Amino acid sequence: MVTGPLFHCRRHSWPPEEFVSRSTLQLLDFDGGAPPRLAWRRRLNSHANKLKEFSVTFIEAMRMMTLGLRLWSYVREEASHGRKAPIDPFTRESCKPSASQGVPLGGMGSGSISRGFRGEFKHWQIHPGSCDMSPIMANQFSIFISRDGGNKKFSSVLAPGHHEGIKKVGDHGISSWDWNLGGQHSTYHALFPRAWTVYDGEPDPDLKISCRQISPFIPHDYRESSLPACVFVYTLVNTGRERAKVSLLMTWMNSIGGVSQHNGGHVNEPFIGDDGVSGVLLYHKTAKDYPPVTFAIAACETQNVNVTVLPNFGLSAENSVTARDMWAVMVQDGQFDQNNFSAGPSMPSSPGDTLCAAVAASTWVEPHGKCTVAFALSWSSPKVKFQKGCTYNRRYTKFYGTSERSAMDLVHDALKKYKWWEEEIEKWQYPILKDVRLPEWYKFTLFNELYFLVAGGTIWTDGGAPAFDEKESIGKNSKSVKNANRDSKSGHKKLNKGAPTPEFTSEDSEQRNVDEKIVGQPFVDYDTEIRYNQSVNPPNSPDDPDNVGKFLYLEGIEYIMWCTYDVHFYASFALLDLFPKIELSIQRDFARAVLNEDRRKIKFLADGNWGIRKVKGAVAHDLGTHDPWNEVNAYNIHDTSKWKDLNPKFVLQVYRDFAATGDMVFGREVWPAVCAAMDYMNQFDRDGDGLIENDGFPDQTYDAWTVHGISAYCGCLWLASLQAAATMAHRLGDHAYAEKCMIKFLMAKNALESKLWNGSYFNYDSGNSNNSKSIQADQLAGQWYAASSGLPSLFDESKISSALQKVFDFNVMRVRGGRIGAVNGMHPNGKVDESCMQSREIWTGVTYALAATMILAGMEEQAFTTAEGIFTAGWSEEGYGYWFQTPEGWTTDGHYRSLVYMRPLAIWAMQWALSPPKAIVEAPKVNVMERIYISPLTMRSIHENGVRRIAPKGSCFSNTVFHCEC
């Protein structure tokens, strides 16, 4: 733990006065208008470079050609059913990714919209698994200023106009607006979940403007943090000698991204709410049977602010009111006709037409006077529907109901509560921002990496049972539950819901027979059984205060799998620290999946073999894609029931969460799954030395990096999981199981050290490949979790510090001088391991995890130097432009793979290491492992023989001292 200042790492990173004049900062310093001292900053005229995507080498392409052909075929098959494949490297977005992202809007799990640092609304993720990155340029804030009796006027969209399609001559759409903002005197300041845009004399030299964007992301608040709403507070300061009439305008298109505005059937309706909140509701009729969406845009009328609306305008000359007409009215009058509020709902839009709305807020600002104007946006999509038929209520409906008009209540409450939101956000962030031990870049990057919990495709339901679409879940499945066993006995494959039965060829028959022998149990209708159990026996009663609903987040916007578990292993520190009840809910979901089996056959694309979707005892790779919770393991590149990291990671996460929360109910609830996960791994200890072996394919999170025999990564994870399981068993009173794990731990530790330790670090694996002696950045992942959970170190401190120093010297400092993070693999001769695509990549989340491990080992200087490489390469002005879209990784020349990825949330593991939770800090400083009784005869046998074969023991379920079910 860090106890003193890190002067060697401290940076005065972009102080605000370098971007905004001191006098302007002082003028805006009321009512929260001035940006904070610590924030990520950009000028609005900064060029948004196109991002460079990685490419495989010729040798890598040849190796993966067969996999690529199978994947291409699978992507086409899914498309024929109207579904997106979880991994699709062949389809490209029409909008090329660029370095233009900013803080996203709203809370978690209700659909998200992002806003670029130059002001454009983009990155639309309203429905599960869908993401449209294109900006909708009609969605803007604009300003109109009149001085000297109207003789001096300024008008402009409050965003730079250098976008494709802007400023077309003779256009009746948004090109007819005034795009007069150059951006050279305007700056963006981001400290998630808030952002400030300061216009320092643009477009009016005598008007200072600050726009503050506020979203309800409040740790430990499971109500406000679920709300799909955002507030924009404008602070106006008139430095001129004349009174100024200022009108601010918010325009919004009835669209959820892409070309959805052209679907037809959309309706706009003005409203006057309580307490001066007025605006427009935009009812959006969705395509493909998705649930409808309603937007609300509004402003708050006060004694000094007048609010008017224009419920409908279009972007073409055929519309009765065009965008050009609307702009002309604002330039002339600065407001709309008050009678527009009584217009009522509009006629539904025609296909191909575009329907927009506007809200204007007008005020007078006296010479040297100040004024505040507040706008808000909400989007209500109360139902979330997955493509295979299940529909759930979102979390926020527990408080606002499922009416389409709830958007009006959401926007009203946002405008009335945003000051309280800010107070809570500041109370949360203040201790970290004021911590003098920490580098400044780290403080704001720590908060800004949390963008993923909003923009990472999160879904948060109310925890209730799903509603089923009969057409999807039953009509397409011609076989009844009664017929399932009969079909199984006759060797027929159960129909995947909504998908045709794959044709088995003669070359598949041998593998199919092997799979059937492995299964060895009667076939069950997994869908029906699991859905029945969830609806009849929900995990918590809806009225239980601990029932915070169910939570999903994507591995990444390019890898569409919910809660990918090997990646959640790194990211979960953020949820555990900030929303621990959500973290426990996710662990319960995986615990249930451990004890379940899904015997539907799927084809694994890496080797072309057939297997069953989910093996009992194996931890699921993910919670699914198109039918989460009910159809897990959407990932089908490899058979993850043979992966060596998932089960240890489950045990380690469960124990860490159990130790950090002290929740004995949770511990007892998931304990059977922990035992099952540990016992399942026995099959991979083929020589009886207590240590699992890898199987000569990429059987872990590095799913392109082959491992042979014993590996540093999986072996270390296994050691730590044995220690965690033993300690948890001891605390729960299952002493027999604790002894079993402790004995195996002592054996496995001896085997790992004797076979992989080379005097300065652990070899990559025990094989004879050209990279078996590579230095893996992630070799001490198990030690990281052990230390984070308050468990004893797995190895001598000298070995830990030696291995970490080796990684720092080679994987960090020998790649671009330590300024781009830690490369995954490095040969002992100082050359990057290029044996595969992933060995030569820098993984952002792994680098943060490595830094956390260094902090826990007392190597703070190396830790912050290592992590700063991710900041420099990804977030700084001299970097590659990955802010608010941090990828899984990049190559040594900065080319990214998989933007907007889950793993970089691991930066919160650094904060966990710096400030461990109270339950771990104040736990008795006793090595529980030493309290576990092992007979003298057993201990003597271990020490004398080095290894000792353990006789098979009964399942953990017969040894438990309590009875519970997951």
Side-chain angles (χ1 to χ4, degrees):
M1 188 188 308
V2 176
T3 55
L6 296 171
F7 291 109
H8 53 272
C9 293
R10 292 184 64 192
R11 295 278 179 85
H12 294 289
S13 303
W14 308 330
E17 54 270 19
E18 288 187 10
F19 286 72
V20 185
S21 67
R22 287 183 179 273
S23 59
T24 298
L25 290 172
Q26 292 172 354
L27 289 169
L28 293 173
D29 191 19
F30 83 100
D31 196 28
R37 180 178 172 276
L38 293 174
W40 179 89
R41 311 185 200 279
R42 278 295 177 279
R43 297 192 189 279
L44 265 59
N45 65 342
S46 298
H47 185 61
N49 299 322
K50 298 294 183 184
L51 304 181
K52 296 179 180 179
E53 191 171 9
F54 89 108
S55 59
V56 296
T57 65
F58 177 78
I59 294 175
E60 290 167 349
M62 290 299 99
R63 288 174 183 167
M64 295 190 291
M65 180 175 291
T66 304
L67 168 60
L69 290 172
R70 293 193 188 110
L71 182 57
W72 179 74
S73 177
Y74 173 67
V75 168
R76 290 187 63 190
E77 179 186 352
E78 286 294 284
S80 70
H81 297 290
R83 298 191 295 263
K84 292 178 68 174
I87 301 175
D88 178 6
F90 310 105
T91 305
R92 287 288 177 263
E93 291 281 342
S94 58
C95 178
K96 297 286 186 181
S98 64
S100 59
Q101 291 293 98
V103 175
L105 315 179
M108 299 186 296
S110 296
S112 70
I113 306 165
S114 290
R115 193 176 186 220
F117 73 86
R118 296 183 301 183
E120 65 273 24
F121 292 87
K122 57 196 298 183
H123 214 265
W124 301 79
Q125 296 185 92
I126 303 298
H127 297 306
S130 66
C131 177
D132 191 285
M133 301 179 72
S134 303
I136 296 181
M137 296 306 294
N139 296 353
Q140 296 289 349
F141 285 100
S142 303
I143 193 164
F144 304 84
I145 306 159
S146 177
R147 294 178 182 270
D148 190 23
N151 293 323
K152 189 189 297 182
K153 288 191 174 185
F154 304 88
S155 61
S156 180
V157 178
L158 288 174
H162 26 94
H163 291 274
E164 187 177 345
I166 301 297
K167 297 184 178 177
K168 293 179 181 177
V169 178
D171 184 34
H172 287 266
I174 63 173
S175 293
S176 63
W177 298 352
D178 298 324
W179 298 82
N180 296 327
L181 194 80
Q184 64 270 24
H185 300 297
S186 301
T187 52
Y188 182 83
H189 312 254
L191 185 64
F192 179 89
R194 295 188 292 173
W196 292 254
T197 306
V198 176
Y199 307 89
D200 193 358
E202 287 191 278
D204 180 350
D206 293 328
L207 188 68
K208 311 298 183 182
I209 309 166
S210 169
C211 173
R212 189 163 84 260
Q213 173 186 312
I214 310 153
S215 292
F217 185 97
I218 304 171
H220 307 285
D221 190 322
Y222 298 89
R223 173 190 167 108
E224 301 299 309
S225 299
S226 72
L227 303 184
C230 184
V231 176
F232 304 88
V233 181
Y234 279 85
T235 302
L236 309 173
V237 180
N238 183 4
T239 60
R241 298 179 180 179
E242 303 160 328
R243 190 182 188 213
K245 181 181 180 182
V246 181
S247 298
L248 288 159
L249 175 72
M250 182 180 188
T251 51
W252 201 258
M253 181 186 290
N254 197 324
S255 173
I256 58 172
V259 295
S260 59
Q261 64 271 20
H262 297 315
N263 294 340
H266 311 315
V267 174
N268 290 358
E269 179 185 7
F271 70 88
I272 299 179
D274 297 332
D275 304 328
V277 176
S278 305
V280 181
L281 288 168
L282 298 87
Y283 303 99
H284 185 83
K285 184 179 180 181
T286 54
K288 299 181 181 179
D289 293 326
Y290 277 121
V293 181
T294 305
F295 293 97
I297 57 173
C300 191
E301 186 161 306
T302 67
Q303 184 176 358
N304 301 318
V305 178
N306 180 48
V307 177
T308 56
V309 300
L310 181 64
N312 308 293
F313 70 89
L315 303 183
S316 66
E318 289 75 27
N319 298 112
S320 58
V321 180
T322 67
R324 173 185 280 183
D325 298 334
M326 181 276 298
W327 193 266
V329 170
M330 287 301 298
V331 170
Q332 179 65 35
D333 302 327
Q335 61 188 37
F336 300 116
D337 191 333
Q338 197 72 30
N339 293 326
N340 289 343
F341 280 113
S342 59
S346 67
M347 294 294 292
S349 63
S350 302
D353 201 3
T354 300
L355 191 61
C356 302
V359 174
S362 306
T363 187
W364 286 94
V365 186
E366 300 298 327
H368 307 292
K370 301 177 181 181
C371 184
T372 298
V373 179
F375 290 85
L377 165 71
S378 70
W379 54 100
S380 176
S381 181
K383 306 278 185 183
V384 54
K385 181 181 179 182
F386 295 97
Q387 285 188 297
K388 288 192 175 179
C390 280
T391 300
Y392 301 83
N393 288 335
R394 296 192 192 262
R395 167 72 175 171
Y396 78 89
T397 64
K398 194 176 182 72
F399 318 108
Y400 285 87
T402 58
S403 167
E404 293 181 356
R405 297 181 66 85
S406 63
M408 185 168 63
D409 297 325
L410 284 161
V411 83
H412 170 272
D413 289 356
L415 285 167
K416 295 302 177 182
K417 296 169 72 173
Y418 75 85
K419 291 184 178 180
W420 176 76
W421 291 352
E422 289 194 283
E423 289 174 3
E424 295 301 303
I425 291 167
E426 289 170 1
K427 280 193 286 187
W428 158 47
Q429 294 182 335
Y430 180 83
I432 294 173
L433 295 176
K434 295 301 180 183
D435 191 337
V436 296
R437 303 174 302 168
L438 306 176
E440 294 189 352
W441 67 263
Y442 168 81
K443 296 177 187 180
F444 56 80
T445 307
L446 177 72
F447 293 112
N448 285 336
E449 287 284 18
L450 290 172
Y451 84 93
F452 187 84
L453 290 177
V454 174
T458 49
I459 300 293
W460 193 356
T461 76
D462 65 356
F468 304 112
D469 186 326
E470 296 295 325
K471 295 178 183 178
E472 296 285 343
S473 61
I474 297 177
K476 291 186 180 180
N477 191 344
S478 60
K479 295 188 177 183
S480 66
V481 178
K482 186 182 292 186
N483 291 332
N485 288 335
R486 183 187 67 195
D487 291 341
S488 174
K489 292 174 184 176
S490 63
H492 293 161
K493 181 182 182 296
K494 175 70 177 176
L495 281 176
N496 191 350
K497 190 172 38 140
T501 306
E503 294 291 331
F504 284 96
T505 62
S506 59
E507 66 183 11
D508 297 322
S509 61
E510 182 178 350
Q511 180 64 37
R512 179 183 61 185
N513 293 334
V514 170
D515 291 336
E516 289 174 351
K517 290 177 183 178
I518 291 173
V519 174
Q521 295 181 10
F523 191 92
V524 295
D525 188 323
Y526 184 80
D527 281 343
T528 303
E529 181 181 20
I530 298 303
R531 289 175 178 174
Y532 176 82
N533 289 339
Q534 287 187 346
S535 59
V536 175
N537 301 303
N540 298 104
S541 164
D543 298 325
D544 187 337
D546 287 330
N547 180 9
V548 297
K550 287 174 146 320
F551 190 87
L552 300 169
Y553 65 147
L554 291 174
E555 178 179 338
I557 62 169
E558 297 176 33
Y559 298 154
I560 309 172
M561 295 165 283
W562 300 111
C563 297
T564 301
Y565 200 70
D566 55 306
V567 185
H568 180 68
F569 176 76
Y570 297 82
S572 57
F573 283 88
L575 283 174
L576 180 58
D577 199 357
L578 306 176
F579 298 95
K581 291 182 180 180
I582 289 178
E583 166 63 11
L584 296 187
S585 171
I586 292 174
Q587 298 301 349
R588 287 186 174 100
D589 289 337
F590 277 93
R592 291 185 198 98
V594 167
L595 301 177
N596 284 320
E597 184 175 65
D598 183 348
R599 297 180 58 191
R600 288 172 292 187
K601 294 288 184 68
I602 60 172
K603 187 174 185 178
F604 299 112
L605 304 180
D607 56 16
N609 292 329
W610 290 86
I612 66 173
R613 178 177 288 277
K614 170 64 178 66
V615 176
K616 187 174 182 179
V619 172
H621 172 274
D622 54 79
L623 291 177
T625 292
H626 300 305
D627 193 7
W629 301 297
N630 302 316
E631 186 180 89
V632 301
N633 281 345
Y635 178 89
N636 62 348
I637 304 296
H638 299 289
D639 181 355
T640 58
S641 69
K642 299 175 183 177
W643 276 20
K644 310 307 182 296
D645 64 336
L646 287 170
N647 284 42
K649 285 176 175 176
F650 171 72
V651 175
L652 287 170
Q653 288 183 74
V654 163
Y655 179 74
R656 178 205 56 190
D657 298 354
F658 172 67
T661 62
D663 190 334
M664 294 298 288
V665 173
F666 168 77
R668 292 191 175 95
E669 183 181 354
V670 301
W671 178 240
V674 170
C675 294
M678 293 298 293
D679 291 345
Y680 180 85
M681 297 301 291
N682 289 335
Q683 63 184 299
F684 303 120
D685 176 14
R686 297 182 176 88
D687 57 6
D689 64 354
L691 195 59
I692 60 173
E693 289 94 40
N694 294 85
D695 284 325
F697 75 100
D699 49 358
Q700 26 73 48
T701 193
Y702 300 90
D703 59 351
W705 200 356
T706 298
V707 196
H708 299 276
I710 294 169
S711 71
Y713 183 68
C714 295
C716 190
L717 288 171
W718 175 240
L719 270 187
S721 67
L722 285 167
Q723 185 172 242
T727 307
M728 189 170 180
H730 182 78
R731 291 182 62 176
L732 293 174
D734 191 349
H735 301 296
Y737 202 76
E739 180 185 354
K740 174 183 173 180
C741 291
M742 183 60 181
I743 293 171
K744 191 168 290 189
F745 169 80
L746 295 173
M747 295 168 55
K749 177 181 177 181
N750 181 73
L752 182 70
E753 291 184 326
S754 64
K755 295 179 181 179
L756 293 185
W757 180 253
N758 63 20
S760 60
Y761 66 95
F762 291 95
N763 291 336
Y764 176 68
D765 64 28
S766 62
N768 297 312
S769 64
N770 62 359
N771 71 325
S772 289
K773 289 183 170 53
S774 286
I775 307 163
Q776 185 179 10
D778 215 1
Q779 62 184 268
L780 290 180
Q783 169 59 28
W784 164 42
Y785 251 74
S788 297
S789 306
L791 293 170
S793 293
L794 300 180
F795 312 106
D796 294 340
E797 298 300 327
S798 60
K799 289 181 177 176
I800 295 170
S801 58
S802 173
L804 291 174
Q805 188 64 46
K806 191 75 172 185
V807 170
F808 179 76
D809 292 339
F810 280 71
N811 301 58
V812 178
M813 298 307 296
R814 293 203 183 188
V815 183
R816 297 291 180 91
R819 296 182 64 78
I820 62 171
V823 70
N824 284 334
M826 177 71 80
H827 289 297
N829 63 5
K831 293 184 177 180
V832 173
D833 182 346
E834 296 188 347
S835 56
C836 73
M837 173 183 72
Q838 292 173 339
S839 64
R840 62 184 173 92
E841 289 180 325
I842 291 94
W843 282 11
T844 52
V846 168
T847 300
Y848 286 142
L850 171 62
T853 312
M854 290 173 170
I855 292 170
L856 291 162
M859 301 170 64
E860 294 89 359
E861 181 173 356
Q862 295 94 324
F864 282 97
T865 300
T866 297
E868 189 174 3
I870 302 301
F871 166 76
T872 302
W875 289 81
S876 73
E877 270 191 296
E878 64 190 85
Y880 303 120
Y882 299 133
W883 45 83
F884 300 103
Q885 52 188 334
T886 315
E888 159 74 308
W890 46 69
T891 57
T892 54
D893 55 1
H895 293 197
Y896 75 88
R897 181 169 63 82
S898 188
L899 291 172
V900 191
Y901 198 77
M902 180 198 294
R903 206 183 316 250
L905 284 170
I907 192 173
W908 279 85
M910 295 179 65
Q911 190 60 28
W912 184 277
L914 291 163
S915 303
K918 186 176 181 181
I920 289 178
V921 172
E922 296 184 357
K925 304 302 179 185
V926 176
N927 188 342
V928 177
M929 297 291 283
E930 296 176 354
R931 291 188 170 188
I932 298 172
Y933 176 76
I934 302 177
S935 68
L937 182 62
T938 301
M939 285 296 298
R940 187 173 65 196
S941 176
I942 293 172
H943 288 300
E944 288 177 355
N945 302 323
V947 297
R948 172 176 172 269
R949 186 175 295 276
I950 303 292
K953 201 168 186 179
S955 168
C956 66
F957 300 110
S958 61
N959 298 325
T960 52
V961 295
F962 48 80
H963 301 282
C964 63
E965 296 181 359
C966 289

